[in-house]
Amino acid sequence: MNPKRRPLMAGNWKMNAGGREGCDLAAAVAKAAKECTHSDVLVAPPFPTLAAVAHVLAELKSRVGIASQTVHEARSGAFTGEVSAAMVREAGATWAIVGHSERRHGLGESHELVAQKAKAALDEGLSPIICIGETLAERDAGQLEAVLVAQLDPVMDLIRESNGRAVIAYEPVWAIGTGKVATPEDAQAAHAFVRKKIASASPEAAALTRILYGGSMKPDNVEGLLAQEDIDGGLVGGASLDGASFGKLILASEAMARKLS
Ligand code: PGA
């Protein structure tokens, strides 16, 4: 963490916590985030729960933000099953996760398609959280940096022009949902590499852009990760589904930001 950047703790609910359960979880997150003055918090519910969560957070006058878990790259049209950036904004989101590895690898989303989705989000006034990260086979083959460059290149102009609105989430695929967290040193090395890559296009954008870590972040490893200079928060799956666990992550991020301020 670096005092120049406001940390962000983002809960990615994936295909969990629909309906009433999502509303209750949002209320618990709002309660945990009530005293957050130095850090940002958001939740990413599944599409059908997004508007209901927005309603709960608005009733509680909460500053917890809302993200969609993806958006379609087009504004509207004959795309059965898809949802546009404008639609999620109307439902109450101000953020959109794009390029999560479960979509890149599970659904074949290419680097270029992810860039189109990030652009669609920005054009609609949403802040994209652009996920990148290597598989274990790629890491073992010494391809970490080449993979990150290939994923970053198509979004580099967007990052440069977004004035810090676009966020990167570095999520090593082998650490997602596996309980295998990257060591703080390995995560920091990847984050520093990403920041250096952004700096080669724009030093201003590199200083502004928040780079989140994702992959089995939990209350017992959050402090070590957030203590790293280039880790500006977390994109959290499993631990964000439990109000108490996510509350601890929110408090850890807020406490560290206050100490550094
Ligand atoms: P995890 O998921 O925290 O359950 O590893 C992170 C993510 O996929 O964003």
Side-chain angles (χ1 to χ4, degrees):
M1 201 179 280
N2 179 307
K4 283 196 290 227
R5 293 177 294 274
R6 202 175 154 87
L8 169 63
M9 202 46 80
N12 176 12
W13 295 357
K14 309 191 181 184
M15 201 169 70
N16 298 294
R20 182 77 255 155
E21 193 189 337
C23 292
D24 292 346
L25 181 54
V29 173
K31 195 169 167 212
K34 216 169 166 41
E35 311 297 330
C36 285
T37 49
H38 290 63
S39 62
D40 295 330
V41 178
L42 69 81
V43 292
F47 283 138
T49 318
L50 217 140
V53 164
H55 182 73
V56 167
L57 294 174
E59 290 271 290
L60 293 170
K61 297 190 172 29
S62 173
R63 286 180 41 243
V64 170
I66 300 171
S68 62
Q69 298 175 13
T70 184
V71 289
H72 194 269
E73 57 281 12
R75 295 207 68 216
S76 61
F79 301 104
T80 302
E82 296 292 340
V83 176
S84 72
M87 290 170 182
V88 299
R89 184 178 47 70
E90 278 159 17
T94 53
W95 296 84
I97 298 170
V98 295
H100 191 280
S101 69
E102 285 150 17
R103 300 192 62 87
R104 286 184 190 265
H105 296 283
L107 299 168
E109 289 189 0
S110 67
H111 306 334
E112 287 68 31
L113 182 62
V114 172
Q116 287 171 27
K117 288 173 185 282
K119 181 168 185 325
L122 281 164
D123 286 350
E124 215 39 70
L126 301 175
S127 301
I129 300 175
I130 305 164
C131 303
I132 58 173
E134 82 291 0
T135 63
L136 190 57
E138 289 163 342
R139 173 172 276 261
D140 287 347
Q143 292 168 347
L144 168 64
E145 296 188 350
V147 169
L148 296 181
V149 166
Q151 292 172 333
L152 282 168
D153 270 340
V155 291
M156 204 46 91
D157 286 348
L158 298 176
I159 294 170
R160 201 178 52 221
E161 289 157 16
S162 87
N163 247 331
R165 272 177 57 217
V167 169
I168 301 289
Y170 167 66
E171 301 203 302
V173 179
W174 46 271
I176 295 177
T178 58
K180 278 187 214 148
V181 65
T183 64
E185 294 72 26
D186 281 348
Q188 165 59 22
H191 282 233
F193 177 79
V194 172
R195 201 174 302 286
K196 202 172 83 193
K197 168 75 183 154
I198 300 172
S200 67
S202 161
E204 295 77 24
L208 277 175
T209 302
R210 289 183 278 190
I211 308 175
L212 313 181
Y213 169 82
S216 300
M217 185 181 261
K218 300 205 162 48
D220 64 1
N221 59 35
V222 64
E223 280 174 11
L225 289 161
L226 293 185
Q228 303 299 315
E229 163 86 14
D230 290 298
I231 300 185
D232 305 309
L235 180 56
V236 186
S240 76
L241 294 173
D242 175 68
S245 291
F246 195 53
K248 284 182 189 160
L249 300 184
I250 291 169
L251 293 183
S253 154
E254 172 69 14
M256 204 173 288
R258 283 189 192 187
K259 218 162 105 190
L260 288 178
S261 71

